[in-house]
Amino acid sequence: MAACAGPRDPRLLTLLLLLFLLLSGCGANLPPEPPPPPSSEPPSEPQPLPESAPQKPTVLLAIIARNAAHTLPHFLGCIERLHYPKSRIALWVATDHNVDNTTAILREWLKNVQNLYHDVEWRPVEDPRSYPEEMGPKHWPSSRFTHVMKLRQAALCAAREKWSDYILFIDADNLLTNPQTLNLMIAENKTLVAPMLESRSLYSNFWCGITPQGYYKRTLDYPLIREWKRTGCFAVPMIHSTFLIDLRKEACTKLMFYPPHQDYTWSFDDIMVFAFSSRQAGIQMFICNREHYGFLPMPLKSQQTLQEETENFVHTLIEAMIDRPPIEPSQYVSVPPKHPDKMGFDEIFMINLKRRKDRRDRMLRTLYEQEIAVKIVEAVDGKALNTSQIKALSIDMLPGYRDPYSSRPLTRGEIGCFLSHYYIWKEVVNRELRKTLVIEDDVRFEHQFKRKLMKLMGDIQQAQLDWELIYIGRKRMRVREPEKAVPNVMNLVEADYSYWTLGYAISFQGAQKLIGAEPFSKMLPVDEFLPVMYNKHPVAKYMEYYESRDLKAFSAEPLLVYPTHYTGQPGYLSDTETSTIWDNETVSTDWDRAHSWKSRQHGKIHSDAQNKDALPSQSPLNAPSSRDEL
């Protein structure tokens, strides 16, 4: 026992005492813990806020309009739809010498949009309504050139006074359909740059060549750029109509529209004066075609009228609709309604497949813009035809028929097309319509289509021509010899072998003959049937099945409607070709006409085959001006 007793460990007693105190709740009386050693790192600072994006450059948009009532609603609509902050755009608008309501339209628009834009400068002049020495509203005397140059100079000075970064000049009939155009031109970082605009010809808003006298010069580069065979941003000697100037560039201080440079000796023309000024300032002009930016109409001759200019602009609108959405007018101006009519015909039928709503919508809008009233005929859909329906109609293919392109037999799509036209002929007879126009839904219209067709039909009536069918759109197959001109009727020829039924006028007697031929039991495509009926089909065996072949057939020359797309082009689609064999729905038909033997044989119409006798002589007044690219 004595061995187990000894001196107690004081550290053990201390630990026991501490444990007792903790368990008894007296820990609050313990001495405080020593503070932690100071940290060597500095206290964290709050993170700085990110920088905001810079504001867009400021732009002054200069609009100079004269007699532009027919263009302004669509032009202003394009301006409104530019994807650019309106708060960074100032408007400078001038108008004078008007004989229409241009001033009223611009005033209405500016009143409604003035709070959207940074600033508005409005410079209307009511009188005079014309220049003393001008011969018409499209004539450009020297006083008009001077006035326009002074206005452009005033706009340039206003932009400089407002410290604008850019100034965008745009003619009142130019349509910037690409809403990114302004952003894209600024991104090019050029002092003087223009977006390439499209027209119905090679004409555009630039030149690639210039003569020592300052006039237009043809070059090999021009069509390559204009037709997008070369794309980019190209140095050129002339841009006009729509262009952007970077006022931040030092060389711009020397740029001016008026007065002309002291060394200027060229013709007194506003675009030529400005091109010379830019060169003297050491500024290169550029044209960009990286994208599709918009449209402009063909320029008119000095003797032409405002009505012709309106028709010219309407054609620009309908051409733009072929591959793109319609150009809508401004939401801030009143647009007067149009008044469609039938152009003197008893009825105008437009054939459309119900499933082709895109074509129907485009055609209806195109016809409305031209003020043409039509009746829509729902086409017979060959793809929906079955064997029982074909047998019920007693349809049989003409013995031995083969398509000249692919050597295939008749297709159900072609049957549907034939039936669509046949039912129209039946309605013509049932309603006793004396004069009818038929158009398909995949056509594009010639410039001044309505005026030209009405004149042609008026001339035919005055000449008391006995007619039964008149093509206004077709594919002429005889391309080596001219067709016979019709005496006393300009722009009309006797039709030779032709393809397509894009558009034609038909008389009551003509419809009777086509129905009376009883074509169902010996059917071939409708565009092969018609030449048989006027005795001009090259395959004699086909004509043997039709005893009466005396249809009086003619054709407009030049044609008034064309296909929207040709075989092989983007957007081409044929509902007759993409089908099945007429008596075997398991065999599809989708041949490539571009590589068929007849396509290779069918070249362009030879110059010797052009119907010169049917065409009016060219007046010297119609010669292209120095500003035109044809």
Side-chain angles (χ1 to χ4, degrees):
M1 291 293 274
C4 295
R8 298 184 179 270
D9 189 339
R11 290 177 297 179
L12 180 59
L13 294 174
T14 303
L15 289 172
L16 292 171
L17 178 61
L18 289 172
L19 180 61
F20 172 76
L21 291 173
L22 287 171
L23 292 174
S24 61
C26 300
N29 297 325
L30 292 175
E33 295 251 351
S39 172
S40 58
E41 297 182 3
S44 60
E45 295 287 338
Q47 292 297 317
L49 296 175
E51 289 291 321
S52 62
Q55 293 193 79
K56 292 277 190 179
T58 55
V59 179
L60 185 136
L61 200 157
I63 301 171
I64 300 172
R66 184 197 179 195
N67 293 326
H70 58 288
T71 71
L72 282 174
H74 294 88
F75 165 80
L76 297 172
C78 291
I79 297 298
E80 295 163 18
R81 291 187 289 272
L82 288 174
H83 287 177
Y84 201 88
K86 291 179 172 56
S87 61
R88 307 295 289 173
I89 297 177
L91 299 175
W92 189 96
V93 184
T95 187
D96 49 62
H97 296 87
N98 295 304
V99 296
D100 64 5
N101 62 335
T102 292
T103 303
I105 295 172
L106 286 172
R107 182 179 288 115
E108 179 188 11
W109 184 70
L110 291 172
K111 180 181 178 181
N112 290 328
V113 303
Q114 60 183 339
N115 294 329
L116 302 176
Y117 290 89
H118 172 69
D119 184 54
V120 172
E121 185 171 344
W122 171 226
R123 300 176 55 142
V125 177
E126 295 291 346
D127 293 309
R129 296 163 68 87
S130 62
Y131 295 91
E133 65 271 39
E134 75 175 4
M135 297 182 293
K138 301 311 298 175
H139 179 225
W140 280 77
S142 58
S143 58
R144 182 174 180 180
F145 281 120
T146 299
H147 183 65
V148 169
M149 286 189 280
K150 287 181 177 179
L151 286 176
R152 291 189 186 276
Q153 184 64 30
L156 181 61
C157 292
R160 287 168 174 162
E161 291 170 3
K162 296 176 187 297
W163 295 100
S164 298
D165 296 314
Y166 293 87
I167 181 169
L168 175 66
F169 286 95
I170 176 168
D171 285 358
D173 58 0
N174 290 194
L175 301 169
L176 297 182
T177 54
N178 186 335
Q180 294 295 338
T181 298
L182 184 51
N183 288 315
L184 293 169
M185 292 301 100
I186 290 174
E188 292 292 345
N189 194 28
K190 306 293 186 186
T191 306
L192 193 47
V193 65
M196 189 186 78
L197 302 179
E198 307 166 48
S199 74
R200 61 184 167 88
S201 74
L202 280 178
Y203 176 76
S204 188
N205 57 323
F206 72 101
W207 299 355
C208 274
I210 198 166
T211 69
Q213 296 76 32
Y215 290 104
Y216 172 81
K217 179 182 178 182
R218 292 183 183 272
T219 65
L220 295 176
D221 290 330
Y222 185 91
L224 298 177
I225 296 172
R226 172 62 184 84
E227 296 178 331
W228 292 279
K229 293 175 181 176
R230 290 173 53 199
T231 57
C233 203
F234 304 96
V236 293
M238 169 72 77
I239 56 176
H240 59 85
S241 300
T242 294
F243 51 90
L244 182 73
I245 305 174
D246 187 346
L247 298 175
R248 303 171 303 175
K249 302 293 179 66
E250 184 177 347
C252 279
T253 58
K254 303 175 184 177
L255 196 62
M256 59 195 312
F257 292 91
Y258 190 87
H261 192 276
Q262 60 184 6
D263 296 331
Y264 185 80
T265 59
W266 296 347
S267 177
F268 198 67
D269 183 296
D270 62 321
I271 66 173
M272 294 166 68
V273 168
F274 183 62
F276 188 88
S277 172
S278 68
R279 277 192 291 279
Q280 295 303 112
I283 299 173
Q284 177 64 61
M285 292 179 164
F286 288 88
I287 188 75
C288 292
N289 70 344
R290 300 187 200 276
E291 297 192 22
H292 290 260
Y293 302 105
F295 300 85
L296 81 171
M298 286 283 293
L300 270 65
K301 311 304 176 188
S302 60
Q303 78 278 7
Q304 291 184 279
T305 65
L306 285 181
Q307 177 58 34
E308 289 176 291
E309 187 175 50
T310 299
E311 294 165 350
N312 198 29
F313 185 75
V314 166
H315 191 260
T316 302
L317 292 177
I318 64 178
E319 283 288 286
M321 278 190 269
I322 290 175
D323 292 308
R324 293 173 181 82
I327 302 173
E328 299 296 344
S330 167
Q331 59 180 313
Y332 297 107
V333 297
S334 305
V335 181
K338 293 180 178 289
H339 303 285
D341 58 56
K342 297 178 183 178
M343 301 188 291
F345 289 95
D346 296 320
E347 191 65 88
I348 303 176
F349 295 100
M350 194 265 284
I351 301 173
N352 168 255
L353 280 169
K354 187 176 182 180
R355 57 185 167 88
R356 295 288 182 217
K357 183 179 182 299
D358 54 335
R359 290 183 175 180
R360 180 167 64 254
D361 292 345
R362 184 194 71 83
M363 279 293 290
L364 288 177
R365 182 67 178 268
T366 296
L367 292 161
Y368 177 78
E369 291 292 348
Q370 298 176 93
E371 298 190 87
I372 299 172
V374 301
K375 177 181 179 180
I376 299 175
V377 174
E378 186 176 326
V380 177
D381 195 340
K383 287 188 174 181
L385 286 174
N386 57 45
T387 303
S388 298
Q389 291 170 312
I390 293 173
K391 287 183 178 179
L393 291 169
S394 300
I395 291 175
D396 201 353
M397 186 181 75
L398 185 142
Y401 170 75
R402 285 294 180 270
D403 179 80
Y405 289 92
S406 59
S407 297
R408 57 154 175 78
L410 192 69
T411 72
R412 296 196 179 190
E414 288 168 333
I415 292 176
C417 181
F418 195 111
L419 292 175
S420 301
H421 287 269
Y422 182 87
Y423 293 146
I424 289 175
W425 305 335
K426 291 279 286 186
E427 184 170 343
V428 168
V429 172
N430 293 338
R431 292 173 57 188
E432 299 184 352
L433 302 176
R434 312 311 300 178
K435 185 170 60 173
T436 300
L437 184 68
V438 181
I439 54 176
E440 295 181 342
D441 66 357
D442 56 349
V443 302
R444 69 195 306 164
F445 294 89
E446 173 65 2
H447 175 240
Q448 294 183 323
F449 166 78
K450 185 175 182 179
R451 174 196 290 257
K452 291 175 180 177
L453 180 55
M454 291 181 69
K455 183 180 186 307
L456 176 62
M457 299 307 295
D459 291 347
I460 289 170
Q461 182 175 353
Q462 186 174 0
Q464 298 183 338
L465 179 68
D466 186 15
W467 67 274
E468 292 169 336
L469 178 80
I470 301 172
Y471 287 105
I472 63 169
R474 59 173 177 152
K475 182 178 183 179
R476 183 178 163 193
M477 303 305 291
R478 303 287 197 188
V479 297
R480 293 294 170 185
E481 298 176 358
E483 295 169 309
K484 185 179 178 181
V486 177
N488 303 319
V489 182
M490 202 63 69
N491 302 116
L492 192 71
V493 296
E494 295 182 10
D496 208 324
Y497 180 40
S498 304
Y499 253 37
W500 299 343
T501 49
L502 298 170
Y504 58 89
I506 190 166
S507 70
F508 174 76
Q509 293 81 5
Q512 280 185 316
K513 284 186 178 180
L514 297 177
I515 294 170
E518 299 181 348
F520 281 19
S521 62
K522 46 199 173 185
M523 185 175 285
L524 69 170
V526 66
D527 58 351
E528 298 268 24
F529 171 65
L530 294 179
V532 166
M533 290 300 294
Y534 58 81
N535 204 38
K536 291 292 179 70
H537 201 289
V539 182
K541 187 171 72 170
Y542 297 171
M543 295 198 291
E544 292 174 0
Y545 290 89
Y546 291 90
E547 183 177 350
S548 178
R549 302 188 301 275
D550 59 351
L551 185 73
K552 299 179 180 68
F554 302 88
S555 176
E557 178 60 36
L559 296 170
L560 299 177
V561 296
Y562 299 88
T564 55
H565 303 88
Y566 290 91
T567 307
Q569 288 182 333
Y572 172 78
L573 179 64
S574 171
D575 289 300
T576 56
E577 296 298 318
T578 309
S579 182
T580 57
I581 294 298
W582 77 280
D583 59 352
N584 189 344
E585 60 190 30
T586 65
V587 180
S588 61
T589 60
D590 191 11
W591 284 276
D592 183 4
R593 286 192 167 189
H595 297 94
S596 65
W597 67 270
K598 191 155 188 176
S599 285
R600 292 193 294 270
Q601 283 191 342
H602 178 74
K604 294 182 178 179
I605 295 178
H606 193 273
S607 59
D608 294 338
Q610 294 177 353
N611 301 294
K612 297 182 179 66
D613 292 338
L615 302 177
S617 60
Q618 291 294 315
S619 164
L621 291 174
N622 291 328
S625 71
S626 62
R627 299 173 70 156
D628 295 358
E629 170 62 68
L630 301 177

